[in-house]
Amino acid sequence: MYQIDKPLAKHKLIYVLVTGLISSTALAQSQPSLEITATGSQEATQSILTPTKILQGDELLNKLGTTLGATLANELGVSATGYGAGSSRPVIRGLEGARVQILQNGLSVGDVSNISQDHAVGNNMQNAHQVEILRGAAALLYGSGSSGGLVNVVNDRILTNLPDRATGAINTSYETVNNGRAASAEVDGAFGSVAVHVDTAINNANNYRIPGYANQGGPNQEWAINPGEPLSVPYSGKLPNSFSNQNNLGVGVSYIGQNGYTGVSVERLNNNYGIPTPEGGSINQSQNRYDLQHQTRDPFAGFSSFKFSAANSNYNHTEFNNAGEAASLWKNIANEARFELAHNPIAGWKGTFGAQVSAASLNATEVGTGSYAIVPPTKTNSTALFWIEEGKWNSLQGSLGLRYNNVAQKPNLGTELVSEPVNTGDMPTITLQNRNFNLMSYSAGGLWNFMQGHGAGVAYTVSQRAPSAQELYSYGAHESTATFDIGNPNLNKETSHNLEFNIQKTSGLMRAKASVYANRFNNYIYGYYTGQSVPDAENFSVVVAQQAAATIKGVEGELTYNWRQHGVGGRIFGDASQGTFDAGGNLPLQPAPRLGAEVAHQRNGWLTNATYIYSYQQNRLANWEIGPAPSYNLLNAGISYTEKIKDVNWTVYMNLKNLLNEQIRYATTPMAVRLFAPQPGRSLMVGLRGTF
């Protein structure tokens, strides 16, 4: 059983919030002037292919973090990794890395964040308009390997409609925990039939303050991640190497006609952030991205839309050691193109089919020697065909999805697999070889609206994933995880079978949804700690890529009252998942169960809110993980006021984060960071935002 290791007094907080929610419900029902607005795309009964979650508007602004993981960390079924303030990816239902694909405007973000948690996602959240989480058939439109789900960040850089006047937004803020200064701006305009978009953002933050000591267990606790080498980090106050500095500039131009649009955009992203491991270090990241989008409505008889999109990303980052010396240089050049053709309804079915191709060239070298760093130079080519259908017949809805994908991994066969003179002893060695994978993924789901606004559904998804270049070919020391990683070029494709049941109420003041799921994996790929270490590589633990049958089971649900509408609203939610190997033992890096409550009030320009989350202790760890990951209480609150002055809506806001100043350590973060680097302590953010 999960243990609760906090005093009972702190649990009174959730009682107070739940009681407040009930009181707020009664109060709101007594107010005859309560205003209710439509939720649009949030109505799950409109389409079972819509995203599972859409963050937009005030909700996105209130939850916005410097990273994608921080923005989504408290969503239902979603947790996050945490390498300081600069790098964090979402973890969906216990799955992360290559199993959670990250998109920007429907195309791959083109970075290397799926290789290692210390690599930041290559997008800037300050100018995001919408964040979507997709699963099942909807996710098969974009990828076959997203067994956990898929996250699409939409920035509307390529406009699809002509603005009738110049519009835009500005935002500036200051945060106390890290002396964080942020500012962003964007402008949309039109010149005849040509629409133009410009956006820019900057976010500079120093090392952040932490409650207590960096070491889990206090200043006298010494952890031995690697055999025979105990480490102690007695830092208090500010956490070294937890800084983050970002800036970006994006421009988009599109021609908009009566039957569609054609647009292009360009973006430059820079990100310099610290890696708060015991060894310390930093990463300097940059990316140039170019996008093309075209859509024609009613292109010919029987079809409602043709869409073509393409992107080129030139990504690189340099990793620095704790002395500020460049250690390795990573480059990834990615190209992707896809087309979609949507047909008109046939016998109650409407859908989309298309094709997608991508090519990526990864090159990681040690500075000074020119040898490879962890992963040899590898080219990855992918070709896919997809077909998604949705039908609706009175109270029944159904969805079908099918995707075929061919993935070819081609390492440089002439690479010598020892990047530096290391005495590897009896460690395994690997032989590079080209690999080719044929992947077939499919999904079927149904929803029965058994009464107005009430539905029950079931979905079954089979998702196949090709091993990544790192899982196949890695061979070298990895500073940020304190491991010596060894790939396995004989890995087979990974297959997940996910069965999910859900029930939902999507109309009225009181709404609810709940899901229970089981995700069974054949050939689940994971890093196995062998118990060996490499003396010539700082005694790093040897981790070998292996495969085994595994299962993740989980449940999640929420109950809302008048949520995200005017007046008083509230929300109670919770999620839990458990990942195990079928042969026995727990999967690594699994999130802890959580319970939470939120209350909010919106009226006459004022918006106030408070969120409380209790995360249980995670003691169901893999046998090589050090634990447990402690429980924590997270209390956040915010208040804002909006006033229209002439043509500008001005909003002044204040957000309070981690009000209880708790030590927060995510169980989803590798030991090299979890044991030595908690999340930020108590913080106050104040800001001013204007839209016109």
Side-chain angles (χ1 to χ4, degrees):
M1 296 294 291
Y2 292 98
Q3 300 176 7
I4 303 176
D5 61 355
K6 293 292 179 182
L8 182 62
K10 286 192 174 181
H11 291 281
K12 292 182 178 179
L13 281 169
I14 193 168
Y15 172 79
V16 172
L17 283 174
V18 173
T19 305
L21 172 59
I22 297 173
S23 301
S24 298
T25 301
L27 174 63
Q29 287 176 332
S30 69
Q31 295 178 351
S33 60
L34 186 65
E35 179 183 351
I36 305 299
T37 60
T39 57
S41 62
Q42 299 291 335
E43 288 284 2
T45 54
Q46 290 185 356
S47 171
I48 57 178
L49 291 179
T50 56
T52 303
K53 173 67 179 182
I54 300 176
L55 269 180
Q56 58 186 353
D58 286 338
E59 184 183 16
L60 175 59
L61 292 172
N62 290 335
K63 295 179 177 179
L64 195 65
T66 56
T67 63
L68 180 60
T71 301
L72 299 177
N74 297 320
E75 294 303 312
L76 196 64
V78 183
S79 46
T81 63
Y83 267 77
S87 179
S88 179
R89 276 179 60 104
V91 178
I92 301 179
R93 293 182 169 179
L95 297 169
E96 53 95 27
R99 300 180 183 96
V100 177
Q101 188 176 353
I102 308 297
L103 306 178
Q104 181 169 300
N105 300 321
L107 294 172
S108 173
V109 73
D111 58 20
V112 295
S113 63
N114 64 334
I115 291 180
S116 177
Q117 291 190 9
D118 64 311
H119 299 166
V121 177
N123 61 24
N124 188 294
M125 296 303 299
Q126 300 302 308
N127 296 117
H129 289 183
Q130 187 168 292
V131 181
E132 305 167 341
I133 301 174
L134 299 92
R135 299 192 187 104
L140 294 183
L141 274 171
Y142 303 100
S144 61
S146 301
S147 51
L150 183 147
V151 178
N152 184 31
V153 180
V154 180
N155 55 34
D156 293 327
R157 192 164 284 141
I158 296 177
L159 297 177
T160 60
N161 293 291
L162 283 171
D164 55 7
R165 59 181 179 84
T167 61
I170 58 173
N171 188 22
T172 183
S173 65
Y174 174 78
E175 189 168 8
T176 59
V177 74
N178 53 12
N179 194 29
R181 290 107 33 221
S184 63
E186 63 176 84
V187 177
D188 295 337
F191 304 90
S193 298
V194 177
V196 178
H197 170 99
V198 179
D199 66 74
T200 186
I202 185 170
N203 193 324
N204 295 329
N206 299 337
N207 293 332
Y208 59 71
R209 288 195 303 274
I210 58 174
Y213 288 88
N215 254 14
Q216 181 177 325
N220 298 321
Q221 175 69 60
E222 288 192 344
W223 300 105
I225 294 180
N226 303 310
E229 186 171 314
L231 294 173
S232 180
V233 184
Y235 297 121
S236 63
K238 292 188 175 182
L239 181 67
N241 299 302
S242 61
F243 64 88
S244 175
N245 299 295
Q246 303 179 21
N247 64 77
N248 84 304
L249 174 65
V251 178
V253 178
S254 53
Y255 173 81
I256 300 173
Q258 293 183 347
N259 297 321
Y261 69 91
T262 301
V264 295
S265 69
V266 60
E267 178 189 28
R268 171 69 178 186
L269 170 68
N270 298 298
N271 190 7
N272 180 28
Y273 59 95
I275 305 297
T277 57
E279 293 81 9
S282 64
I283 289 180
N284 195 338
Q285 175 195 67
S286 66
Q287 178 171 288
N288 294 328
R289 181 183 173 100
Y290 307 90
D291 281 83
L292 166 67
Q293 290 183 14
H294 169 81
Q295 183 177 29
T296 300
R297 291 182 291 272
D298 301 318
F300 34 84
F303 294 90
S304 59
S305 173
F306 170 81
K307 185 175 181 180
F308 175 82
S309 54
N312 165 266
S313 297
N314 191 329
Y315 169 97
N316 68 79
H317 80 242
T318 303
E319 301 187 1
F320 296 86
N321 60 26
N322 56 13
E325 301 168 339
S328 61
L329 174 63
W330 293 66
K331 295 183 178 181
N332 190 57
I333 299 176
N335 295 286
E336 184 174 356
R338 59 181 283 126
F339 80 85
E340 304 172 27
L341 194 58
H343 69 77
N344 293 327
I346 302 175
W349 291 92
K350 63 179 181 178
T352 300
F353 62 89
Q356 183 174 344
V357 295
S358 65
S361 179
L362 174 66
N363 195 346
T365 57
E366 297 282 358
V367 174
T369 67
S371 301
Y372 77 95
I374 304 177
V375 184
T378 304
K379 293 183 178 180
T380 303
N381 297 320
S382 173
T383 304
L385 300 173
F386 55 86
W387 184 17
I388 308 297
E389 292 287 334
E390 180 182 28
K392 187 173 183 179
W393 312 272
N394 298 321
S395 61
L396 295 177
Q397 291 176 258
S399 68
L400 298 171
L402 180 66
R403 185 181 181 95
Y404 167 77
N405 209 23
N406 176 267
V407 176
Q409 300 279 19
K410 299 180 180 180
N412 183 347
L413 299 180
T415 303
E416 183 180 354
L417 279 182
V418 176
S419 61
E420 53 185 272
V422 173
N423 179 15
T424 58
D426 297 329
M427 287 171 19
T429 59
I430 65 175
T431 301
L432 297 180
Q433 55 182 295
N434 294 334
R435 296 297 308 275
N436 192 284
F437 301 90
N438 291 307
L439 312 173
M440 184 66 72
S441 301
Y442 52 91
S443 179
L447 178 66
W448 174 37
N449 297 303
F450 54 86
M451 60 183 293
Q452 181 65 36
H454 296 72
V458 60
Y460 177 67
T461 302
V462 174
S463 177
Q464 293 191 324
R465 180 178 76 88
S468 66
Q470 183 206 19
E471 292 166 334
L472 290 168
Y473 310 123
S474 61
Y475 200 89
H478 195 179
E479 296 282 344
S480 67
T481 56
T483 57
F484 192 98
D485 297 345
I486 301 178
N488 183 350
N490 298 312
L491 292 174
N492 296 315
K493 60 187 176 185
E494 179 184 277
T495 303
S496 74
H497 302 259
N498 187 78
L499 180 62
E500 177 176 354
F501 297 92
N502 63 76
I503 188 168
Q504 54 191 357
K505 181 180 183 296
T506 58
S507 63
L509 294 179
M510 190 74 72
R511 304 187 182 194
K513 62 180 179 181
S515 299
V516 57
Y517 60 89
N519 201 351
R520 173 70 184 273
F521 286 86
N522 297 331
N523 296 319
Y524 182 90
I525 302 172
Y526 67 101
Y528 173 70
Y529 280 65
T530 65
Q532 296 174 289
S533 63
V534 184
D536 290 353
E538 302 182 60
N539 270 330
F540 284 175
S541 295
V542 176
V543 177
V544 179
Q546 293 190 359
Q547 291 185 296
T551 301
I552 297 178
K553 299 177 181 179
V555 60
E556 57 195 35
E558 68 175 5
L559 175 67
T560 66
Y561 175 82
N562 194 41
W563 194 238
R564 294 195 298 274
Q565 313 303 327
H566 293 281
V568 178
R571 174 175 176 252
I572 301 173
F573 58 95
D575 54 35
S577 65
Q578 179 182 352
T580 58
F581 293 107
D582 290 5
N586 298 305
L587 295 184
L589 303 178
Q590 293 298 292
R594 300 178 301 184
L595 293 173
E598 293 184 74
V599 291
H601 180 267
Q602 183 176 357
R603 184 175 297 279
N604 298 327
W606 289 94
L607 173 62
T608 57
N609 62 83
T611 303
Y612 171 78
I613 294 176
Y614 178 75
S615 178
Y616 286 80
Q617 179 186 89
Q618 178 58 289
N619 51 19
R620 293 179 173 175
L621 305 173
N623 58 19
W624 57 82
E625 291 184 290
I626 298 173
S631 64
Y632 61 82
N633 297 273
L634 175 63
L635 180 61
N636 297 333
I639 183 171
S640 66
Y641 177 72
T642 300
E643 179 78 24
K644 187 172 184 179
I645 302 176
K646 293 186 177 179
D647 294 327
V648 181
N649 287 309
W650 291 103
T651 300
V652 58
Y653 58 92
M654 178 176 66
N655 293 325
L656 299 163
K657 302 177 183 179
N658 193 9
L659 274 167
L660 302 178
N661 204 33
E662 290 264 307
Q663 274 211 5
I664 297 175
R665 301 175 189 269
Y666 297 141
T668 50
T669 300
M671 294 182 295
V673 170
R674 172 170 61 84
L675 296 175
F676 307 111
Q679 297 300 300
R682 183 185 296 116
S683 178
L684 166 66
M685 174 187 284
V686 293
L688 177 67
R689 183 169 57 244
T691 60
F692 58 90

